[in-house]
Amino acid sequence: MKKIILVLIVILTISHVFAKDISLDESIRLAKEQNKDLLSEKNSLSSANWGEKNAFTNFLPKVAFNSTMVRLDDDTYKEASEVMQIPVFGPNGIPNGNYIPFSGAAMSGGIYKTSFNNGITVQQPIFNGGKVILGYQLSKLAKEQTIFSLQNKENDITFQVASTYFNILKIQDVLILSQKSVESSKAHLKKVRDNYQAGTVKKSDVLQWEVKLQNDETALNEIKNNLNVLLTVWKNLLGTDDELYYPQKINVENFDAEIQKYASIENEQFEIEVTKILDKTKENNPILKTLSTTDKIMDKQLLMAKGNFLPSLNLQFSYQIENDDEFDFSGEDNWNLVAAFSFPLFSSGANFTNMKKTKYDVKKTKLTLESTKDNILVGAKNTFCNLVTKAQTVENNKSALAFAKENHKLINNLFEQGMITNSDLMDADIMLFASEMNLVSSYYDFLISKYELIKFTNEKE
């Protein structure tokens, strides 16, 4: 059997020839650099940065160069250019027989069939109900919210990478154990068949081992398929399209001291640890920080809605460079300065209804945020409870495996002496491999639960 296990290990090693083994830290680093979801979130942060800069520009003046060309149709130009005779009135108010020639083209510097008007306009907002400064504050909060969202996405990716990393290692270990179970069943089946040929066992004993072998091979195929699925998920998480990576093997027994520490936590110490976990979650959890920022955003939205009732003041300076029949910037210039003050008196209830709507949106958001906060804290506590349970499960499975090994040894000796049935031997065999698989699985389940807790507390491993 040792030779068969060695062959399996060699096969797994050969399958890694064209793959690179990387540690968990390297996997997380690689995912943070290449994962497409995370890269998308980083682009959101860049967008928020530019959004803040864009909001700041609302404090600054806006300068525009305006140029217009107006061309009159022939009839209009002809009519405007016609000369009319205006009678001259004497001191007594009676026309004296003299006339003055006059045409519309002589007014306002003349009328041109094609006229050009070029000028520069400068607009400077002074006060608009606080909307400019509130808009800038909202852009800063939106940027802050995006930063926390990015942290949360990084935590999600870290947990997903760690979870997939440990699940792949778990399945690889379970694959070896499953193969051992298959080879053990084959060996027992051969022995039972030889005994059946010798007439020392019944046909039913042979059939039982044949059934067990079929079940073991089916389970082995399922494990192989699950491993392929996980490797595909792993590749997507790391964002690697060309290179193939495998998780680096770890010695789970290195975590025994930590597991024993969690498994030995008693009631009073448990409550103290839970309090510490909740305090760390409240302080560091990026989702809770995002919720706090969202609360501030809604308060600003309400202030902006109230700002619709306030007056506004804006300045506009216009400088006309030319207004004549040629585009040569040589016409007469003039300028004007306008201070526009506006006070809203009645807006058909639009401002009032908008403010009331925003108030209820604020109340709704605050309640939703409180509910989400409670759920996160409950999730953090439950994850810690689960971590302690996983640690206790590892300790229990260690004892169970020790008993299963001793039982398997005794049963084999008794079977060789013909003192027990074939079914007893099969039960002992099943118990041994089940105990080995349970212990391997519980180690990796503990590590996965550990990283899930880190996701809540946002601590560095």
Side-chain angles (χ1 to χ4, degrees):
M1 184 180 296
K2 291 182 178 179
K3 291 182 178 180
I4 296 172
I5 296 173
L6 182 60
V7 170
L8 178 61
I9 294 174
V10 171
I11 293 174
L12 290 175
T13 304
I14 293 174
S15 67
H16 291 181
V17 169
F18 299 103
K20 178 183 178 183
D21 289 346
I22 57 175
S23 66
L24 179 57
D25 289 339
E26 289 176 313
S27 304
I28 293 173
R29 180 191 58 79
L30 195 61
K32 288 183 177 181
E33 290 178 357
Q34 300 184 163
N35 182 271
K36 294 178 177 62
D37 288 339
L38 197 54
L39 291 176
S40 174
E41 200 69 34
K42 289 180 180 178
N43 285 326
S44 296
L45 179 57
S46 298
S47 174
N49 277 324
W50 285 107
E52 180 185 359
K53 292 180 174 63
N54 179 264
F56 181 76
T57 62
N58 292 326
F59 293 102
L60 305 177
K62 304 294 186 296
V63 181
F65 170 77
N66 306 303
S67 179
T68 60
M69 181 189 76
V70 179
R71 182 174 179 82
L72 301 178
D73 63 272
D74 294 339
D75 292 339
T76 302
Y77 178 72
K78 182 179 179 180
E79 181 178 349
S81 302
E82 288 181 352
V83 178
M84 297 179 291
Q85 298 296 325
I86 305 299
V88 177
F89 293 87
N92 56 3
I94 299 174
N96 59 14
N98 296 322
Y99 294 89
I100 299 175
F102 174 81
S103 75
M107 299 180 61
S108 302
I111 294 179
Y112 309 110
K113 187 171 186 179
T114 301
S115 61
F116 297 91
N117 189 315
N118 295 300
I120 294 176
T121 301
V122 181
Q123 295 177 325
Q124 175 62 59
I126 303 299
F127 180 75
N128 286 279
K131 293 179 183 178
V132 174
I133 188 170
L134 286 172
Y136 179 66
Q137 291 173 348
L138 282 171
S139 69
K140 290 177 69 69
L141 290 173
K143 176 184 174 182
E144 182 180 292
Q145 195 175 47
T146 306
I147 292 174
F148 295 142
S149 179
L150 177 59
Q151 291 178 0
N152 183 58
K153 177 59 71 173
E154 287 181 345
N155 284 353
D156 283 341
I157 295 299
T158 299
F159 171 68
Q160 291 177 39
V161 170
S163 176
T164 308
Y165 185 96
F166 292 130
N167 274 315
I168 291 174
L169 292 179
K170 176 172 71 173
I171 289 184
Q172 287 177 340
D173 287 349
V174 169
L175 182 64
I176 294 175
L177 291 173
S178 182
Q179 185 66 41
K180 284 173 59 178
S181 180
V182 169
E183 298 304 328
S184 175
S185 296
K186 287 181 178 179
H188 283 300
L189 177 59
K190 183 179 183 303
K191 184 182 294 186
V192 171
R193 280 175 175 169
D194 292 342
N195 292 338
Y196 175 70
Q197 294 294 332
T200 58
V201 299
K202 303 184 295 294
K203 177 66 175 177
S204 60
D205 293 340
V206 177
L207 293 175
Q208 287 177 359
W209 282 106
E210 286 179 342
V211 171
K212 184 178 184 302
L213 177 58
Q214 290 295 323
N215 290 336
D216 288 345
E217 289 179 341
T218 300
L220 180 61
N221 288 331
E222 289 178 350
I223 293 171
K224 290 178 180 178
N225 290 334
N226 290 336
L227 179 58
N228 289 331
V229 171
L230 272 179
L231 288 173
T232 301
V233 174
W234 168 257
K235 184 177 180 181
N236 289 336
L237 279 173
L238 298 187
T240 55
D241 296 326
D242 300 326
E243 293 188 77
L244 179 62
Y245 295 95
Y246 273 90
Q248 200 173 75
K249 287 288 185 180
I250 63 173
N251 185 1
V252 292
E253 294 180 356
N254 291 339
F255 298 93
D256 279 346
E258 186 177 5
I259 290 172
Q260 290 169 5
K261 182 190 75 172
Y262 282 107
S264 61
I265 292 179
E266 298 180 353
N267 292 336
E268 184 177 345
Q269 181 64 26
F270 180 83
E271 293 301 326
I272 295 175
E273 292 297 326
V274 167
T275 301
K276 290 181 181 178
I277 292 298
L278 294 182
D279 289 341
K280 290 177 182 178
T281 302
K282 292 176 184 177
E283 181 180 356
N284 301 324
N285 187 273
I287 298 180
L288 293 182
K289 290 181 178 180
T290 302
L291 297 179
S292 176
T293 305
T294 302
D295 191 27
K296 295 176 184 178
I297 288 176
M298 293 308 300
D299 289 338
K300 297 294 182 183
Q301 294 281 12
L302 182 58
L303 288 176
M304 186 171 284
K306 293 179 179 179
N308 291 328
F309 294 94
L310 300 178
S312 63
L313 174 64
N314 295 283
L315 296 180
Q316 177 171 308
F317 171 78
S318 297
Y319 176 69
Q320 180 179 286
I321 299 174
E322 72 165 342
N323 184 13
D324 55 25
D325 61 341
E326 292 185 7
F327 190 84
D328 54 8
F329 300 99
S330 62
E332 295 184 0
D333 60 348
N334 64 78
W335 62 270
N336 63 73
L337 178 65
V338 178
F341 178 82
S342 174
F343 191 92
L345 296 178
F346 181 67
S347 59
S348 300
N351 292 342
F352 178 77
T353 54
N354 181 58
M355 185 186 68
K356 295 296 289 185
K357 174 184 177 298
T358 307
K359 278 186 175 181
Y360 283 104
D361 287 340
V362 170
K363 291 181 179 179
K364 173 187 173 182
T365 302
K366 288 183 181 294
L367 290 173
T368 302
L369 297 183
E370 285 296 322
S371 175
T372 305
K373 178 181 178 180
D374 292 342
N375 291 336
I376 289 174
L377 294 178
V378 169
K381 181 178 180 180
N382 290 344
T383 302
F384 179 74
C385 295
N386 188 48
L387 180 64
V388 173
T389 301
K390 297 296 184 185
Q392 293 169 346
T393 301
V394 173
E395 294 298 307
N396 292 337
N397 286 338
K398 286 181 185 178
S399 300
L401 178 58
F403 294 143
K405 286 181 177 179
E406 183 66 23
N407 178 69
H408 189 266
K409 182 179 179 181
L410 292 173
I411 293 295
N412 268 281
N413 290 335
L414 293 174
F415 183 77
E416 292 294 334
Q417 300 172 29
M419 298 178 64
I420 60 172
T421 65
N422 181 72
S423 297
D424 294 329
L425 177 61
M426 183 178 295
D427 290 341
D429 204 66
I430 293 173
M431 182 184 297
L432 175 61
F433 286 110
S435 298
E436 289 179 334
M437 290 183 181
N438 287 339
L439 179 58
V440 168
S441 297
S442 60
Y443 266 115
Y444 289 110
D445 289 344
F446 169 80
L447 294 174
I448 292 172
S449 184
K450 177 184 174 182
Y451 272 85
E452 185 177 7
L453 185 61
I454 292 174
K455 176 183 172 183
F456 281 99
T457 59
N458 197 29
E459 290 184 301
K460 300 299 180 183
E461 170 60 11

